[in-house]
Amino acid sequence: MKIGELARESGLAPSRIRYYERQGLIGAIDRGLNGYRQYARGTRQLLEMIVVAQQAGFSLDEIRNLLPPHDQADRGRDKLLGALNRKVVDIETLQQRLSATRAGLKAVIARIEALPPGGDCFENAEDVLASMREQSKAG
Amino acid sequence: MKIGELARESGLAPSRIRYYERQGLIGAIDRGLNGYRQYARGTRQLLEMIVVAQQAGFSLDEIRNLLPPHDQADRGRDKLLGALNRKVVDIETLQQRLSATRAGLKAVIARIEALPPGGDCFENAEDVLASMREQSKAG
DNA sequence: CCTAAGATTAAAGTTAACTTTAAGGTCAAG
DNA sequence: CTTGACCTTAAAGTTAACTTTAATCTTAGG
């Protein structure tokens, strides 16, 4: 599979795929006699994992450390499992942060709705935000 | 309150606060006779809201549109409520995306753990990721 | 054979979100 | 009245994550 096809299938620009390669995210790629990159079937899934992780707020640098080494297959399996499990924990952390944020926002909204118009919103939001901070420490 | 004090209280660098002002995130600030910025009490909360929104994955550009105009107080109240409610929706969307991601990861982990060592991880992850994509469309 | 589509590289350009720098003005303390 | 901490600005520098450009090579089709 050449880069153009992989690009169409994954929805990523070829330049982006080459960029990820330069950044060490997808390892060394097989080359045909002409020098063209030849991708294995798994690469599309790998790219998707990268994109998913990015959407969850990970930098490419973090993702590189999260992904298994591209060479050794079996030592990679254990590292992959460890990385995936840590990633789940990271996502759970993020979820808790979002829950706290959402709860805080809802509290702020309730306060503002209960107020007579004309007051200083931020003045009244102070303790709400304080409790948000507490909550996020506890979470 | 001068910028240094606000910086200490908020944990943001003064340069960052001035940058937010240039970007229109905190509006025009009162100046003393000496030209120093004089911040109102609410500014610390405003900065915190900005940071929280950033951590939830919003760009400064999105945040600018989310925040109420800095001038009119009462028309601002309604816009603020609208913005906050939309933000809650945004957070809920993100939470759903994260849940889908987490579920997908857990499924991938279960698959890999069930495999005999030596196989091609990505090969087997294919339909798992397919179902992840379904889930995120539905969510 | 010619052409168009698609592959290659290195290097430069872009955008967001800041920080750093340079050159200065202000203010409280000794 | 000078020193040091803090403020001001405009402009330049930084980092991440890409994209664009330029110059060249390969391959498939009429």
Side-chain angles (χ1 to χ4, degrees):
Chain A
M1 171 187 255
K2 289 185 289 180
I3 201 169
E5 195 184 344
L6 179 62
R8 272 186 301 277
E9 285 194 6
S10 66
L12 307 187
S15 64
R16 188 167 170 184
I17 298 174
R18 293 196 195 96
Y19 174 73
Y20 285 167
E21 182 184 338
R22 282 202 302 285
Q23 299 307 304
L25 287 167
I26 49 183
I29 299 301
D30 286 350
R31 298 299 183 114
L33 294 172
N34 47 17
Y36 288 13
R37 289 171 179 79
Q38 274 301 331
Y39 293 96
R41 309 119 229 99
T43 310
R44 204 188 84 231
Q45 281 72 34
L46 178 54
L47 289 177
E48 284 175 37
M49 288 188 187
I50 292 172
V51 170
V52 166
Q54 277 189 301
Q55 287 170 345
F58 295 92
S59 69
L60 293 187
D61 199 58
E62 291 169 319
I63 295 172
R64 187 191 4 264
N65 297 321
L66 239 50
L67 289 174
H70 326 285
D71 37 17
Q72 303 116 332
D74 264 27
R75 287 205 11 203
R77 198 189 96 121
D78 287 351
K79 269 205 88 173
L80 175 58
L81 279 175
L84 291 175
N85 276 300
R86 265 173 278 127
K87 202 156 103 176
V88 169
V89 172
D90 284 339
I91 287 180
E92 284 166 351
T93 303
L94 226 180
Q95 283 183 313
Q96 283 177 359
R97 239 166 51 195
L98 281 180
S99 287
T101 303
R102 194 190 94 113
L105 285 178
K106 290 212 134 189
V108 171
I109 288 169
R111 293 294 190 106
I112 295 175
E113 279 174 342
L115 280 179
D120 178 349
C121 294
F122 296 127
E123 201 76 32
N124 303 77
E126 183 147 5
D127 47 338
V128 172
L129 282 154
S131 68
M132 262 178 76
R133 279 192 297 282
E134 287 312 309
Q135 204 171 342
S136 72
K137 274 173 200 162
Chain B
M1 173 189 255
K2 287 184 291 182
I3 200 169
E5 195 182 346
L6 179 61
R8 271 186 302 277
E9 286 194 7
S10 66
L12 307 186
S15 64
R16 187 167 170 185
I17 299 173
R18 293 196 197 96
Y19 173 73
Y20 285 167
E21 182 183 340
R22 281 201 302 285
Q23 299 308 304
L25 286 166
I26 48 183
I29 299 301
D30 286 348
R31 299 298 184 114
L33 294 172
N34 46 17
Y36 289 13
R37 288 171 179 79
Q38 274 301 331
Y39 293 96
R41 309 119 227 101
T43 310
R44 204 189 83 231
Q45 281 71 35
L46 178 53
L47 289 178
E48 284 175 37
M49 289 188 187
I50 292 172
V51 170
V52 166
Q54 276 190 301
Q55 288 170 344
F58 296 92
S59 68
L60 293 187
D61 199 59
E62 291 169 319
I63 295 173
R64 189 193 0 266
N65 296 321
L66 239 51
L67 289 173
H70 325 285
D71 36 18
Q72 303 116 330
D74 265 27
R75 286 206 11 206
R77 197 189 97 122
D78 288 350
K79 268 205 92 172
L80 174 59
L81 280 175
L84 290 175
N85 277 301
R86 263 173 280 129
K87 201 156 105 178
V88 168
V89 172
D90 284 339
I91 288 179
E92 284 166 351
T93 301
L94 226 180
Q95 283 183 314
Q96 284 177 0
R97 240 167 48 196
L98 281 180
S99 288
T101 303
R102 194 189 94 114
L105 285 177
K106 291 212 135 193
V108 171
I109 290 168
R111 293 292 190 109
I112 295 175
E113 278 172 344
L115 280 179
D120 178 349
C121 293
F122 297 126
E123 201 74 32
N124 303 78
E126 183 148 4
D127 48 336
V128 171
L129 282 153
S131 68
M132 262 177 77
R133 278 192 298 283
E134 286 313 308
Q135 204 171 343
S136 72
K137 273 174 201 162

